[in-house]
């Protein structure tokens, strides 16, 4: 699933192509918004929040999209075959005379008044990549999670928005924390969150993820050589794989 770093890069691509430009094409292939007409609106910009994208227009409306597991926003030159966007997996198309943004396999598509964006993302915790992330609010929400496993708390978008399985696993590995440690027994949650934020910001700048444990099942740990293991966070149907090193992240 795309995480907060991917959303930041997607927003930057959309801004480079569309910000300040008037739409000459808009096609929303989603039942609830299929009749919404955005042609003629000028794109003010796209703001990422956690795993959500908010594309704002000068007429007071916002296009909200969520990538879910497989969604992408691609920017291609208008007039090219790819810009025709005829594939059945296309969910949204925003075009200008020069560039066309094509949203494929999007998991959510909404159009709301910009003043009503809070109805879509207001329930989320602070964005881990926000410029002025509210650490106090993060820790308040963390405390409210009680003794839930730390991996599940990191994945809970109501606590902290933007983290997924990759940075949950990588930040826990960096801090030597067993993923199923009760959250209220984590010695320094602020440091753990800072580690995740630092890793993600590095990825936003250079598109390089840590790669120490996630997706490395049975491969040797970079620190100690122990084969990487995998467990599960959350109950079905929301279960997620969490990779870890049994030696570097021992059970308390």
């Amino acid at each position: 699933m795309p995480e907060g770093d991917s959303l930041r890069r997607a927003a930057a691509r959309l801004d480079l192509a569309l910000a300040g430009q008037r739409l000459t094409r808009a096609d929303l292939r989603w039942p609830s918004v299929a009749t919404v007409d955005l042609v003629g609106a000028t794109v003010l910009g796209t703001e990422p929040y956690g795993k959500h994208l908010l594309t704002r227009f000068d007429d007071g409306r916002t296009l909200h999209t969520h990538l879910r597991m497989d969604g992408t926003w691609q920017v291609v030159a208008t007039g090219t075959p790819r810009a025709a966007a005829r594939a059945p997996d296309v969910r949204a198309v925003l075009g200008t005379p020069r560039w066309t943004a094509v949203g494929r396999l999007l998991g959510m598509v909404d159009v709301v008044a910009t003043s009503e964006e809070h109805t879509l993302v207001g329930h989320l915790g602070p964005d881990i990549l926000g410029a002025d992330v509210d650490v106090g609010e993060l820790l308040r929400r963390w405390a409210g999670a009680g003794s839930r496993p730390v991996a599940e708390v990191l994945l809970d978008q109501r606590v902290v928005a933007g983290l997924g399985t990759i940075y949950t696993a990588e930040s826990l590995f960096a801090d030597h924390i067993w993923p199923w440690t009760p959250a209220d027994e984590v010695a320094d949650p602020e440091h753990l969150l800072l580690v995740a934020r630092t890793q993600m910001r590095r990825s936003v700048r250079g598109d390089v993820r840590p790669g120490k444990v996630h997706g490395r099942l049975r491969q040797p740990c970079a620190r100690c050589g122990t084969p990487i293991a995998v467990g599960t966070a959350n109950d079905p149907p929301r279960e997620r794989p969490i990779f870890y090193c049994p030696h570097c992240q021992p059970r308390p």
Side-chain angles (χ1 to χ4, degrees):
M1 177 181 287
E3 301 188 27
D5 57 332
S6 299
L7 273 292
R8 294 268 157 178
R9 291 194 295 272
R13 287 195 301 273
L14 290 172
D15 274 354
L16 283 173
L18 303 179
Q21 303 300 310
R22 182 175 174 271
L23 294 183
T24 55
R25 180 185 179 191
D27 184 4
L28 303 181
R29 303 173 191 175
W30 193 268
S32 61
V33 294
T35 61
V36 173
D37 185 9
L38 296 172
V39 172
T42 295
V43 179
L44 299 179
T46 296
E47 181 71 22
Y49 193 98
K51 299 180 182 183
H52 301 253
L53 290 172
L54 303 167
T55 301
R56 296 167 178 147
F57 304 98
D58 65 343
D59 62 4
R61 290 183 292 175
T62 293
L63 172 66
H64 163 249
T65 56
H66 192 296
L67 304 187
R68 292 290 194 194
M69 292 292 291
D70 303 307
T72 61
W73 272 105
Q74 302 168 350
V75 175
V76 297
T78 297
T80 61
R82 292 174 63 196
R86 297 190 180 96
D89 63 355
V90 174
R91 303 289 181 265
V93 183
L94 303 176
T96 70
R98 185 175 182 185
W99 299 110
T100 297
V102 180
R104 298 178 179 273
L105 295 173
L106 302 176
M108 289 184 189
V109 181
D110 304 285
V111 177
V112 299
T114 301
S115 61
E116 297 295 318
E117 289 178 357
H118 65 277
T119 64
L120 301 171
V121 298
H123 65 290
L124 301 174
D127 183 348
I128 189 68
L129 286 174
D132 300 308
V133 62
D134 188 340
V135 175
E137 178 62 13
L138 276 176
L139 295 178
R140 185 189 71 78
R141 292 181 181 236
W142 183 285
S147 60
R148 291 171 57 200
V150 60
E152 296 184 8
V153 175
L154 289 172
L155 289 171
D156 190 342
Q157 302 302 294
R158 297 167 299 179
V159 176
V160 52
L163 289 174
T165 54
I166 296 173
Y167 289 103
T168 290
E170 296 293 346
S171 59
L172 290 170
F173 174 77
D175 259 13
H176 301 265
I177 298 172
W178 187 58
W180 296 274
T181 303
D184 55 6
E185 294 181 15
V186 173
D188 192 348
E190 183 175 353
H191 183 266
L192 176 61
L193 291 164
L194 177 61
V195 167
R197 175 179 166 87
T198 300
Q199 291 177 339
M200 295 178 79
R201 292 182 72 182
R202 188 176 297 128
S203 173
V204 172
R205 292 194 298 269
D207 197 11
V208 177
R209 288 175 163 175
K212 301 296 186 182
V213 289
H214 183 79
R216 300 189 66 245
L217 181 62
R218 291 188 287 273
Q219 296 181 44
C221 172
R223 281 197 196 121
C224 70
T226 300
I228 298 299
V230 66
T232 302
N234 296 324
D235 296 324
R238 297 175 54 252
E239 68 269 29
R240 295 289 183 268
I242 301 295
F243 296 85
Y244 68 104
C245 173
H247 179 265
C248 295
Q249 299 166 265
R251 182 171 183 165

